[in-house]
Amino acid sequence: MTEKPKLYYFDGRGKMEPIRWLLAAAGVEFEEEYLETREQYEKLLQDGSLLFQQVPMVEIDGMKMVQTRAILSYIAGKHNLYGKDLKERAIIDMYVEGTTDLMGLILMFPFLSTEDKEKQLATIIEKATKRYFPVYEKVLKDHGQDFLVGNQFSWADVHLMEALLMVEEKSSNVLAEFPQLQAFKARISSIPTIKKFLQPGSPRKPAADEKSIAEVKEFLAEMRQREAAGP
């Protein structure tokens, strides 16, 4: 029996959340080890698990994979979520990169000051509704299919679904002018593996709260002190 993938990261969303989403979409159960102390991190460094001295890190199929994009590409390819040919893969990559840019605006939002949060929220909504969502709205309208690429469920759909929910957390009516995306969200939500992941008690992480933000800040501060101290 193949061992479950094991994820090493903080007990929060961050850069690991898209990996959780993709594994869940593929119907893959996984385990997690949350990094809560500097000792845990240093142990990973000492045993050579962190190629570039950073997480996320995923143990999967005998490998210790780092770099979020590499991990996601591997999972997508392994579980038939990466298109039927090289051309579809390239299109999926374009959509994923665009969605990642949007999600990146949200990733650091909890760590901003109150004043900066107001500015960033306006930026998130503006770029979501003017730059990114119109692209996917047009794609879905033009080809009239259920999914973004090749009329087949793919990594691009999973990534967009995650992004839609992330932006909706910031502005509940953000999809009001995007009927295709509203229908897309309903379709993807009904896929059994996604529906399961969206249920309470799943490995999906909630939006960061003050406690989790403080814990991550403290952990990162310790890492910076370690790096400043040198070997």
Side-chain angles (χ1 to χ4, degrees), residues 125-204:
I125 302 306
E126 192 274 334
K127 290 194 174 182
T129 57
K130 303 300 182 184
R131 177 181 296 184
Y132 297 104
F133 288 177
V135 170
Y136 302 118
E137 181 79 4
K138 185 176 187 300
V139 168
L140 292 165
K141 183 177 181 180
D142 286 353
H143 66 38
Q145 297 172 343
D146 288 345
F147 305 109
L148 288 172
V149 181
N151 202 27
Q152 178 180 342
F153 185 46
S154 76
W155 175 18
D157 301 305
V158 180
H159 213 51
L160 178 56
M161 180 66 184
E162 181 185 1
L164 294 178
L165 296 183
M166 288 175 70
V167 179
E168 279 191 321
E169 288 177 345
K170 304 302 179 192
S171 177
S172 60
N173 65 343
V174 74
L175 295 182
E177 298 181 5
F178 301 98
Q180 295 293 332
L181 287 179
Q182 292 177 42
F184 172 87
K185 176 188 165 187
R187 285 194 302 274
I188 302 302
S189 297
S190 69
I191 293 172
T193 55
I194 299 294
K195 184 176 182 179
K196 180 179 179 181
F197 190 62
L198 294 174
Q199 296 300 310
S202 83
R204 184 185 177 214

Side-chain angles (χ1 to χ4, degrees), residues 44-64:
L44 292 175
L45 287 175
Q46 291 165 5
D47 66 20
S49 296
L50 304 182
L51 187 64
F52 298 111
Q53 301 181 23
Q54 60 191 16
V55 290
M57 191 271 282
V58 176
E59 286 186 314
I60 183 170
D61 296 340
M63 299 182 289
K64 294 182 177 180

Side-chain angles (χ1 to χ4, degrees), residues 65-231:
M65 294 195 69
V66 296
Q67 297 298 326
T68 305
R69 177 58 193 254
I71 297 166
L72 289 166
S73 296
Y74 180 78
I75 295 167
K78 178 178 180 178
H79 296 286
N80 196 30
L81 294 169
Y82 217 167
K84 296 186 290 290
D85 54 35
L86 191 59
K87 184 176 179 179
E88 287 192 358
R89 178 173 176 169
I91 296 170
I92 289 170
D93 282 342
M94 286 195 297
Y95 293 161
V96 165
E97 288 293 331
T99 310
T100 298
D101 288 345
L102 173 59
M103 293 165 70
L105 297 174
I106 303 172
L107 185 64
M108 295 308 297
F109 182 85
F111 301 94
L112 300 175
S113 67
T114 300
E115 180 180 351
D116 288 339
K117 280 183 178 179
E118 293 179 3
K119 297 177 182 177
Q120 185 73 342
L121 179 59
T123 298
I124 290 168
I125 302 306
E126 192 274 334
K127 290 194 174 182
T129 57
K130 303 300 182 184
R131 177 181 296 184
Y132 297 104
F133 288 177
V135 170
Y136 302 118
E137 181 79 4
K138 185 176 187 300
V139 168
L140 292 165
K141 183 177 181 180
D142 286 353
H143 66 38
Q145 297 172 343
D146 288 345
F147 305 109
L148 288 172
V149 181
N151 202 27
Q152 178 180 342
F153 185 46
S154 76
W155 175 18
D157 301 305
V158 180
H159 213 51
L160 178 56
M161 180 66 184
E162 181 185 1
L164 294 178
L165 296 183
M166 288 175 70
V167 179
E168 279 191 321
E169 288 177 345
K170 304 302 179 192
S171 177
S172 60
N173 65 343
V174 74
L175 295 182
E177 298 181 5
F178 301 98
Q180 295 293 332
L181 287 179
Q182 292 177 42
F184 172 87
K185 176 188 165 187
R187 285 194 302 274
I188 302 302
S189 297
S190 69
I191 293 172
T193 55
I194 299 294
K195 184 176 182 179
K196 180 179 179 181
F197 190 62
L198 294 174
Q199 296 300 310
S202 83
R204 184 185 177 214
K205 301 302 179 186
D209 57 18
E210 291 185 6
K211 180 176 181 293
S212 62
I213 293 168
E215 289 173 350
V216 171
K217 284 183 175 180
E218 182 179 355
F219 186 90
L220 292 176
E222 288 185 357
M223 294 307 99
R224 285 193 288 269
Q225 289 177 2
R226 178 190 181 280
E227 291 173 356

